[in-house]
Amino acid sequence: MEEPIIRITGLTKHFGGGENEVAALEDINIEIRRGEIFGVIGLSGAGKSTLVRCINLLERPTAGSVVVDGKEMTALGPKELRQARKSIGMIFQGFNLLMQRTALDNICFPLELAGKGRKEAVARARELLEVVDLASKEKAYPAQLSGGQKQRIAIARTLAMDPRVLLCDEATSALDPKTTRDILRLIQDINKRLGITVVVITHEMKVIEEICSRVAILDHGSLAETGTVEEVFANPRSEAGRRLVYPDGVPYEVLRQEAACARVIRVAFNGGTAYQPLIASLAIDCGVKANILGADTRNIDGRAFGTMLLGLPEDEAQAAKALAYIRSQKDITVEEVPDYHE
Amino acid sequence: MSENLIELLISWGVDARKAASQVEYLAGATVPFAIWETVYTTVLSTLFAYIIGLPLGIILVTGEREGIRPLPPALMKILNTVVNLLRSVPFLILMVCVKPISRFILGTSIGTVASIVPLTLAAAPFVARVVESSLREMDRGVIEASQSMGCSPWQIVTKVMLPECRPSLITGFTTATITILSYGAMAGTIGGGGLGAMALLRGYGRQETAVLYVAVIFLVILVQIIQSIGTAVAVKTDRRIQHTQTKRRKGT
Ligand SMILES: Nc1ncnc2c1ncn2[C@@H]1O[C@H](COP(=O)(O)OP(=O)(O)OP(=O)(O)O)[C@@H](O)[C@H]1O
Ligand SMILES: [Mg+2]
């Protein structure tokens, strides 16, 4: 198979030291293929920004390796690193344009860095303004542009570097839904037409659904799962994946299918025995293995309160046995969860 | 004309002889010359103070641990301490202290030109702090964006930080110039020239109130001019507020 354009191995990043050390990333392994749009999703504080910033080494990893386009980024000296960064574009939630330069001059900036003459730079910048559909705003300053327009200029500015990879850190999070869609379409277009590999960081499922081919779910600094968007969204395997795909709780039908059980019951604890002993004694006394599909219980002074969803085996006799056993317990009520169709 | 002035002063209760000598002094070439001395002392001292203070201010920002080009913490500590020490010595005392340096550089420690050396040295740490505080307003995200484009620290300073902070740097420059102007006026007491010497030595020293007021009025005018130009340039060149400006213009 083709060598991935970005290969992240054992990436670990800790901030601070001593007592207030924060483990922002822990042993991350990701491979991003040439030409794909790869999404990284996770809740706030999951370490998404830290992860992308480790790709172009804005953040130096504590451990692990980051290979971009065949170069081990962590091994580069300052000068080589600057050179390598020129083929990795990055756009941000806050746009980060130069406020004292016009739209055109913002796009000229990386060209100036590359030592291009003014005439050549302006000509190229004008082309890129066309690409992002903002030719009329050439002389405008960022303060005169809307958020969506600013992001377009920022995109044109990174394109001026002729990058192989485009990193987008919450690039649409400051924009309204319509503008978000337009910007995503532009990114998709760039990916298709110019063959630039895109890494999209976001906390919005919509963004991933819209443009990504594969996705990684980040949870508290660890990689919860990776896969194609269809796979992960249809069947999230990790706890974090479920929380993202089903923010309002997992639908019963999904639970039931997964657990391969015919019946789902809701057990309510009203201050009796805690749930672990119940599951254990179910197995020991009745020989019934129940699946915990979800639980929202609290232990107060060794007594359990709350509810739990249990999946019972297909076998009718066993299920009946289990139900009878649970019903016989003190301070526990049981009800069957009817088919999940409203 | 001058007779009328003398009469006016006398009518205010000024001694006739003193009134005549003051008007004679003010009518002569001494006042324009004092203005000229003040202007060039201020301009040159500000220039030299920035030659030292601007790089120093930049280093104070970029050399930090979190800066774009961290320097050894010990070095940063020394720089900060030196700047603070120099800033905490009252200016007049500092000027007296650096007189020997003035003598070393120029061969003399007396006179208008000689006062430029202590002025420069006294103002440089102040300038460094002014520059530092302007550069600290810089949006970190923009610096990161330039780093992600492969900017070297030098390019970040010259192409990003200084141009992006231009309005604030100009405002700071205005403040620094005015401060140096007033420092220069105090230098009149230790052998400097200009409007300050005129106000202090003649106006205050000889109790020539008319001379004192004239000197003060010209100092005020100079400060006003510097401030107005500084503010106008800072506002005019700030591209962040153009938006609201054009809007306001349309609105009215
Ligand atoms: N410079 C830093 N110093 C100390 N801790 C940091 C630093 N940057 C990030 N962290 C910590 O690392 C963790 C991950 O932060 P990160 O910014 O990568 O999260 P994120 O997933 O991008 O969140 P968000 O969606 O809010 O942007 C957080 O706990 C954060 O507090
Ligand atoms: Mg983030």
Side-chain angles (χ1 to χ4, degrees):
Chain A
M1 213 188 101
E2 205 189 351
E3 176 70 7
I5 189 159
I6 299 175
R7 171 180 279 144
I8 296 168
T9 330
L11 176 65
T12 297
K13 174 73 191 180
H14 291 186
F15 286 108
E19 260 179 46
N20 27 17
E21 181 160 327
V22 183
L25 293 175
E26 205 68 72
D27 191 24
I28 304 287
N29 298 290
I30 295 178
E31 286 186 359
I32 297 172
R33 297 174 195 149
R34 220 168 273 274
E36 75 174 331
I37 303 187
F38 189 90
V40 177
I41 189 167
L43 300 175
S44 185
K48 307 180 294 290
S49 296
T50 311
L51 177 62
V52 262
R53 293 159 52 80
C54 281
I55 295 179
N56 59 6
L57 242 69
L58 279 180
E59 214 73 77
R60 188 162 279 279
T62 311
S65 125
V66 178
V67 178
V68 180
D69 213 6
K71 280 200 200 77
E72 172 60 62
M73 298 294 282
T74 55
L76 299 179
K79 225 179 181 166
E80 299 159 306
L81 179 59
R82 287 200 288 273
Q83 202 51 46
R85 278 177 179 163
K86 289 186 179 168
S87 58
I88 309 174
M90 188 169 188
I91 54 174
F92 306 80
Q93 178 171 3
F95 319 122
N96 294 341
L97 294 175
L98 296 161
M99 299 302 283
Q100 306 288 349
R101 284 179 175 233
T102 59
L104 186 79
D105 285 339
N106 262 286
I107 304 172
C108 284
F109 182 72
L111 298 165
E112 278 170 34
L113 294 180
K116 295 272 183 342
R118 176 75 188 161
K119 261 218 182 99
E120 193 187 344
V122 168
R124 178 84 184 110
R126 290 225 168 94
E127 281 172 30
L128 290 165
L129 273 171
E130 296 282 350
V131 171
V132 298
D133 215 7
L134 272 183
S136 61
K137 294 290 182 187
E138 173 179 322
K139 293 203 178 67
Y141 288 95
Q144 297 166 306
L145 298 173
S146 73
Q149 291 170 334
K150 278 187 224 175
Q151 198 59 288
R152 279 167 189 275
I153 299 297
I155 290 172
R157 182 174 67 173
T158 50
L159 289 184
M161 314 193 310
D162 252 330
R164 306 270 166 73
V165 179
L166 176 61
L167 308 174
C168 312
D169 187 359
E170 305 268 10
T172 56
S173 297
L175 307 173
D176 62 63
K178 157 102 176 59
T179 316
T180 295
R181 219 166 312 120
D182 293 346
I183 294 289
L184 290 179
R185 207 152 293 148
L186 176 62
I187 292 174
Q188 198 167 31
D189 194 44
I190 287 165
N191 165 261
K192 284 221 183 79
R193 284 210 320 215
L194 307 175
I196 297 173
T197 308
V198 181
V199 181
V200 172
I201 299 292
T202 183
H203 60 263
E204 289 173 302
M205 298 284 295
K206 272 205 325 276
V207 172
I208 302 279
E209 277 171 343
E210 199 120 345
I211 61 169
C212 294
S213 50
R214 291 196 307 137
V215 63
I217 297 176
L218 212 54
D219 180 40
H220 292 104
S222 304
L223 204 58
E225 61 183 294
T226 328
T228 67
V229 173
E230 294 81 22
E231 255 168 42
V232 171
F233 282 16
N235 182 22
R237 279 164 291 131
S238 64
E239 192 47 43
R242 286 177 170 226
R243 270 202 311 273
L244 280 163
V245 178
Y246 310 115
D248 306 318
V250 185
Y252 297 138
E253 54 182 342
V254 175
L255 287 175
R256 190 169 302 163
Q257 261 170 19
E258 273 172 17
C261 45
R263 300 161 86 172
V264 176
I265 56 171
R266 182 185 287 118
V267 181
F269 296 85
N270 307 314
T273 159
Y275 70 90
Q276 289 100 335
L278 176 73
I279 302 301
S281 49
L282 257 181
I284 296 163
D285 297 352
C286 317
V288 175
K289 213 182 147 291
N291 274 316
I292 301 177
L293 302 177
D296 179 22
T297 61
R298 261 174 298 278
N299 266 315
I300 301 170
D301 287 338
R303 303 189 313 154
F305 291 90
T307 61
M308 177 169 70
L309 283 175
L310 283 184
L312 297 181
E314 301 241 27
D315 188 274
E316 272 300 319
Q318 280 219 334
K321 210 159 121 195
L323 258 176
Y325 179 82
I326 297 171
R327 286 213 169 96
S328 71
Q329 299 293 313
K330 242 178 47 180
D331 295 324
I332 291 181
T333 51
V334 188
E335 59 171 345
E336 282 214 45
V337 178
D339 279 353
Y340 182 81
H341 288 300
E342 282 164 317
Chain B
M1 167 83 185
S2 56
E3 282 83 37
N4 296 345
L5 272 177
I6 295 173
E7 269 166 38
L8 182 69
L9 287 178
I10 293 172
S11 76
W12 285 352
V14 178
D15 172 84
R17 272 243 309 273
K18 225 171 170 179
S21 90
Q22 285 188 67
V23 169
E24 190 193 343
Y25 177 83
L26 291 172
T30 33
V31 177
F33 187 65
I35 295 173
W36 162 243
E37 275 184 324
T38 294
V39 169
Y40 87 69
T41 319
T42 307
V43 168
L44 287 179
S45 305
T46 307
L47 180 71
F48 294 137
Y50 264 86
I51 290 175
I52 302 172
L54 183 66
L56 191 54
I58 293 171
I59 288 171
L60 286 175
V61 177
T62 57
E64 291 187 318
R65 208 162 54 85
E66 297 290 314
I68 55 168
R69 180 73 180 81
L71 292 174
L75 179 63
M76 293 307 292
K77 184 108 196 148
I78 292 171
L79 281 181
N80 269 299
T81 313
V82 169
V83 169
N84 283 344
L85 270 179
L86 289 174
R87 295 266 291 122
S88 55
V89 180
F91 170 68
L92 210 50
I93 298 170
L94 189 64
M95 285 230 299
V96 178
C97 295
V98 297
K99 272 193 159 203
I101 301 179
S102 200
R103 205 170 297 131
F104 176 76
I105 296 175
L106 296 169
T108 172
S109 64
I110 311 280
T112 312
V113 174
S115 71
I116 291 175
V117 174
L119 267 173
T120 300
L121 292 176
F126 173 73
V127 167
R129 287 289 182 222
V130 168
V131 169
E132 180 192 0
S133 80
S134 290
L135 297 184
R136 284 203 189 285
E137 290 168 18
M138 183 74 214
D139 182 351
R140 259 231 71 95
V142 177
I143 291 184
E144 283 195 339
S146 8
Q147 281 173 326
S148 80
M149 287 184 266
C151 268
S152 66
W154 173 252
Q155 286 172 321
I156 292 178
V157 169
T158 56
K159 285 181 170 289
V160 180
M161 288 172 79
L162 294 178
E164 284 293 296
C165 297
R166 183 183 52 216
S168 170
L169 285 168
I170 292 172
T171 308
F173 181 79
T174 311
T175 311
T177 310
I178 290 172
T179 306
I180 290 169
L181 179 85
S182 72
Y183 280 1
M186 282 191 270
T189 51
I190 56 160
L195 289 168
M198 178 176 148
L200 290 166
L201 303 182
R202 295 253 347 189
Y204 177 72
R206 293 209 215 160
Q207 294 291 306
E208 293 180 343
T209 323
V211 173
L212 177 65
Y213 286 154
V214 168
V216 168
I217 287 167
F218 277 113
L219 280 172
V220 170
I221 291 173
L222 279 180
V223 168
Q224 289 297 334
I225 292 173
I226 296 168
Q227 186 65 62
S228 317
I229 295 175
T231 308
V233 173
V235 170
K236 191 140 199 168
T237 58
D238 191 351
R239 307 307 185 185
R240 287 169 305 180
I241 48 182
Q242 185 134 350
H243 194 40
T244 46
Q245 260 186 345
T246 41
K247 242 192 208 160
R248 206 179 303 145
R249 218 175 290 144
K250 270 183 208 151
T252 49

